[in-house]
Structure formats: structure tokens, C-alpha cells
Amino acid sequence: MKAYTTELSWRVIPQYNTQNKFSLLVLIIFTLFAVFHLFKNNYQSPLTLLSLNMKTSDHVRGSARMKKKSCAIFSGRWIPYPEGPPYYSNESCRSLMDQHNCMKFGRPDKEFMNWRWKPNECELPLFNPAQFLELVRGKSMAFVGDSVGLNQMQSLLCLLSSLPLFNPAQFLELVRGKSMAFVGDSVGLNQMQSLLCLLSSVAYPEDISHKYSLDSNYFKRHFYADYRFTVANFWSPFLVKSSNADNGHSLNGLLNLYLDEADEAWVNEVENFDYVIVSAGQWFFRPLIFYENSQVIGCHICDINNMTAIAKYYGYRMAFRTAFRTLQSLKNYKGTTFLRTFSPAHFENGDWDKGGNCVRKRPFTSQEMKLNGDTMEFYSTQVVELRAAEKQGRLKFRLLDTTEIMLLRPDGHPNKYGQSPHKNVTVNDCVHWCLPGPIDAWNEFLLYVMKTEDQRRDGSRL
């Protein structure tokens, strides 16, 4: 009742005398007259005000988008990351190939896993498996190139293996502070065991390689049924057609390279893919005979009399030019093409076939190692060809600029701690990369560029 009385007390109307009423009336008339003239000179209709408000909001949003600069993710340094490796281990990723499984084959140090790429002016987001799989839902991705491309695909499969099919975090949040009992016979125990297993479950694809190729070592396909996502690898170390030029086949044998003919191993497969990651590199150091228009034009270290010497860089340039032009010419290909730039090797104390190795245990700093020589020439050559392809305008071409970043990681290779797919090969591997390891950053870059592209596309729809 007290509260009700208080409420009524605020509604009591004061009783003014006649003089006060007259003074109040004059004041109101004067105020209205002044407001009328002000309103007349500055009047805008409610629709105009709404329109201005919307334009102002759009301008603010646009300005915010302009001010939000994208992260220059390829300029930075490797920093200690003691929490690493953050995603998976060689034991938790069951699709890991022996060639990249350094810990399985006895690598004694783990420090190479405890570094992370840090852009100079921003933070590179951690790889988010759920976010990646949502971006590629109902789509397909192909890695085209040599075995380092397969190395990157293996990294991606391992990164995605950390995604739970059953969401343990969501379940545990629902039962936070609560308890659950299974009452009954051993089938109830069976269900409880199932729940415990689900709380540690991960996402793995189905290996469907055998359905598409007789050589499942180099031509691989994996399918994530829940996301209808296919990821494939098409082995094509030169991107263009090649064949043996001498009798038999050896790791350093002479090869024919048809610079104006794309390799059918990938051309016949990628037309309906949504993303194609193109790369090539170390194979161009081999002895090569170059062909154009089905005619020999010269060779690289072929040791053949009366043969014109042509630099390996020319062959490299023409291979990428042919690959990009072929993608442009494919009638049904409308996907996004990524160039993953040249991946440097780190052989020391000899060449790859003369006892060279890579035993370092820490990254270089940018002061200790500079981009130059063959690495610089290969890198700049392929980037020039990418920019030329971009100017054609029909397709989207994007850059994964990994060369200088990986030049700083001599510690990331298997060296002798990996098993080559060629069982009789015993050379040290300073070309491929350990998993887990620095190559996982490539897929952090890939996700970032894809996500940025998706956000840009959404912004254009506003």
C-alpha cells in the first residue's frame, strides 16, 4: 500500500493561480514561435532523415571496412611457441605418411615444432578445422605438383583430424556441474563406453584413391562425407608433359619436357574442382631436354653435343605459363587457383646425392639468411607468371607466398628421420617437411586467404 501511495504522489497536479497561468501561456506561445522559425529553416522530412541516417551508417560501415586492413601475413618472423605443436601429433594423425613422420623414425629433438610464424603487424589466426570445413562444404580442392604438394595435403589432413565429429565441448558444457548414471545391464556399460570414446573422437575422411587411380601413392583422394568435401592430390612434378629421355629411370636421369603441353595427369581431372593449389620446384634442377611445338629447342645440363644450352629458369617459366593458360582454357573450370611458391631445400655439407644433410635444430633469422640465388630466381619467375595470369581476368588467382618464410626453416626437414616411398633410397631428405612442423603454417595461410576472400565476397553483397 505504501508503494501504491508513493506512485500516486508523483501524479498530483499542482494548483496554479490565474497570474501564473497567464505567464506560462505567454512563455509557451513565444517558445512555439521561435521553434517554428527554426524548424522551417532546417526542416527535413522523416524520409530524408532516415535516408541520411542510412547513408551515414553505410559510410561508417564502409569506413570501418576500409580501416580494417588485411593482415600482411607473409611478412614476419618465426617466434618461439612453447605451447606447440598446437594441433596434432604424429600419433594422433593416422593418415600421416612415413616419409614425413620424423618422430616415428627417431628424430630426437622436438624444438622444431615449437615455433610459429608471426606477421610483423598482426596476428595470424590459428588453423580452425571447423571453420575450414564449413568454408569448403560441398566443394573440392586439388593439390597439383610434386611431392611437396602432397606434403602440404598431408598436413591439411592432419590439421583437419583434430575436428571432433561428436562435439565434446558442447556436450561437456551441457552437463557442467551435473552427473550422469547408466543403470542397467552390460549394454548400458556399452553405451557409456561409447560416450567416453565419442568425447575423444576426431574427423577422418574416407580414402577413395583406389576408385580413381591405380597409383594411390601419388594420386590420392579423400572424401569428408559429413561436409561433402573432396581433397585430392595429382602428382605432376613439372606441370607439363614429360617422358624419360634415356634408358631406364633413375633419380637423376635425363627427361624430356614438353613446355607447351600441360600434363594430362591433372588437366583431365581438375575441371570441376573449386580450388586448385599449384606448385613445382626441385625437379627442375635435373638434366632436361626442352621441347616446344614438338621440336627440341635445347637442354639443361644434358651433356649432349651440338645441343643449345637453355637455363632451367626458362623451362620453369614456360611450365607455369602453360599451366595457368591451360586452367584459363578449361571451359568448366571456374575455381580459385592458388600458387604456392617455391619451397627451398637446405642441403649442407654436399648435394642431395653426395652426402648432403640438414641437421640444424633452430630457424634462421632474416639477418642470417637472405632470399637470393636459385631460390630467388625460381620464386620471382613463378610470381611474374601468376601476375600475368591474373591480368587475364577470367579466373581468380591467389598467392601463397611461402618461399622466404620456409627459407628460414632448415630445421624442419626429415633429414634421415623419414622413410622414402622408394624403399632402396637412403639419401637424406632436406626437401620435404616433417609433420607436425613448419609446413602446417602453409595451411594457416591457405585458410586465412580463403576466409578473407569469403568475407570480401560477402561484403560485396551488402
Side-chain angles (χ1 to χ4, degrees):
M1 190 64 188
K2 183 179 180 181
Y4 178 69
T5 304
T6 304
E7 181 184 17
L8 288 178
S9 68
W10 286 102
R11 301 177 61 187
V12 174
I13 301 175
Q15 300 296 315
Y16 295 103
N17 59 31
T18 304
Q19 185 178 357
N20 288 342
K21 287 182 179 179
F22 178 76
S23 300
L24 181 61
L25 180 61
V26 172
L27 180 62
I28 291 172
I29 293 172
F30 179 79
T31 303
L32 289 174
F33 182 77
V35 170
F36 172 77
H37 281 278
L38 181 64
F39 184 73
K40 180 180 179 180
N41 293 331
N42 297 278
Y43 172 75
Q44 290 172 320
S45 73
L47 288 177
T48 305
L49 290 171
L50 178 61
S51 176
L52 283 173
N53 185 52
M54 291 176 66
K55 289 179 180 178
T56 302
S57 298
D58 289 342
H59 176 72
V60 170
R61 286 196 297 268
S63 298
R65 283 196 294 267
M66 291 294 290
K67 290 178 181 178
K68 186 181 178 181
K69 295 181 180 179
S70 60
C71 177
I73 55 174
F74 304 116
S75 298
R77 66 194 187 281
W78 291 97
I79 62 171
Y81 191 72
E83 297 86 356
Y87 303 113
Y88 63 93
S89 71
N90 68 303
E91 294 178 345
S92 67
C93 180
R94 69 187 186 196
S95 61
L96 189 55
M97 293 172 59
D98 285 348
Q99 186 177 14
H100 314 134
N101 197 342
C102 302
M103 306 313 293
K104 175 181 177 180
F105 291 94
R107 179 163 178 168
D109 63 303
K110 295 183 179 181
E111 188 180 358
F112 73 96
M113 294 186 280
N114 296 337
W115 296 83
R116 189 158 190 269
W117 181 252
K118 170 65 174 70
N120 288 328
E121 299 179 355
C122 51
E123 295 292 333
L124 176 65
L126 289 169
F127 186 88
N128 186 321
Q131 191 174 63
F132 182 92
L133 286 170
E134 281 302 325
L135 280 173
V136 298
R137 183 183 290 276
K139 298 180 181 179
S140 54
M141 176 177 288
F143 291 84
V144 175
D146 58 21
S147 54
V148 181
L150 175 60
N151 200 173
Q152 183 181 0
M153 190 185 83
Q154 285 285 308
S155 165
L156 180 61
L157 293 175
C158 290
L159 288 167
L160 293 176
S161 72
S162 61
L163 174 70
L165 292 172
F166 171 87
N167 193 325
Q170 187 178 54
F171 180 88
L172 291 171
E173 190 61 35
L174 284 172
V175 297
R176 180 186 294 274
K178 300 178 181 178
S179 55
M180 179 177 292
F182 291 84
V183 178
D185 57 13
S186 58
V187 179
L189 176 61
N190 200 180
Q191 183 182 358
M192 188 185 78
Q193 287 290 322
S194 167
L195 177 61
L196 294 175
C197 290
L198 285 171
L199 288 172
S200 61
S201 65
V202 292
Y204 283 103
E206 177 188 0
D207 187 342
I208 56 174
S209 307
H210 62 282
K211 297 180 181 179
Y212 294 89
S213 175
L214 296 176
D215 186 358
S216 59
N217 287 325
Y218 291 101
F219 297 88
K220 294 182 176 292
R221 290 193 195 223
H222 298 265
F223 181 61
Y224 289 82
D226 289 344
Y227 295 87
R228 306 185 313 284
F229 170 57
T230 299
V231 58
N233 179 80
F234 302 114
W235 188 72
S236 181
F238 297 106
L239 304 177
V240 294
K241 179 182 174 182
S242 63
S243 65
N244 289 328
D246 53 11
N247 295 324
H249 176 73
S250 67
L251 290 177
N252 210 25
L254 182 63
L255 294 174
N256 297 315
L257 218 57
Y258 303 86
L259 298 177
D260 52 359
E261 299 180 47
D263 187 359
E264 293 181 356
W266 65 267
V267 174
N268 294 336
E269 302 290 344
V270 302
E271 193 159 5
N272 294 315
F273 276 74
D274 299 285
Y275 304 97
V276 175
I277 294 94
V278 178
S279 61
Q282 298 295 331
W283 283 68
F284 283 83
F285 286 97
R286 296 174 60 123
L288 301 168
I289 299 176
F290 297 130
Y291 289 74
E292 288 181 346
N293 296 317
S294 302
Q295 301 294 318
V296 175
I297 62 169
C299 73
H300 166 62
I301 57 170
C302 65
D303 197 25
I304 298 177
N305 293 331
N306 301 319
M307 181 76 75
T308 302
I310 296 180
K312 55 184 176 289
Y313 310 123
Y314 176 80
Y316 197 65
R317 178 183 305 281
M318 297 309 297
F320 276 96
R321 183 174 299 179
T322 296
F324 292 149
R325 288 181 176 179
T326 299
L327 287 167
Q328 298 269 19
S329 69
L330 293 176
K331 182 179 179 181
N332 295 320
Y333 178 63
K334 299 178 177 61
T336 300
T337 303
F338 292 87
L339 167 64
R340 194 269 298 149
T341 60
F342 181 79
S343 178
H346 290 93
F347 288 101
E348 297 184 81
N349 308 310
D351 293 334
W352 69 272
D353 56 347
K354 294 181 174 62
N357 58 22
C358 41
V359 297
R360 294 180 184 268
K361 293 180 172 60
R362 291 176 62 86
F364 288 127
T365 66
S366 57
Q367 288 73 39
E368 293 174 309
M369 180 62 69
K370 300 292 185 181
L371 185 59
N372 54 33
D374 285 334
T375 301
M376 179 64 180
E377 197 68 34
F378 276 121
Y379 166 76
S380 59
T381 295
Q382 61 185 171
V383 171
V384 166
E385 290 305 313
L386 177 76
R387 298 310 182 202
E390 283 180 317
K391 292 178 181 178
Q392 299 300 313
R394 192 182 83 80
L395 297 175
K396 289 184 292 186
F397 288 87
R398 298 293 180 261
L399 182 67
L400 296 178
D401 195 351
T402 59
T403 301
E404 192 167 10
I405 293 168
M406 302 308 285
L407 186 63
L408 304 178
R409 294 307 306 268
D411 56 325
H413 300 287
N415 193 32
K416 64 180 180 179
Y417 303 107
Q419 182 172 297
S420 170
H422 308 284
K423 303 299 183 183
N424 58 340
V425 175
T426 57
V427 297
N428 296 317
D429 186 353
C430 302
V431 172
H432 301 93
W433 303 92
C434 292
L435 294 175
I439 192 175
D440 291 325
W442 297 5
N443 290 311
E444 291 177 335
F445 300 145
L446 176 62
L447 174 56
Y448 181 87
V449 175
M450 290 171 60
K451 186 169 59 175
T452 302
E453 191 73 22
D454 188 63
Q455 291 170 345
R456 185 183 295 121
R457 188 165 52 249
D458 287 345
S460 68
R461 298 191 191 112
L462 293 177

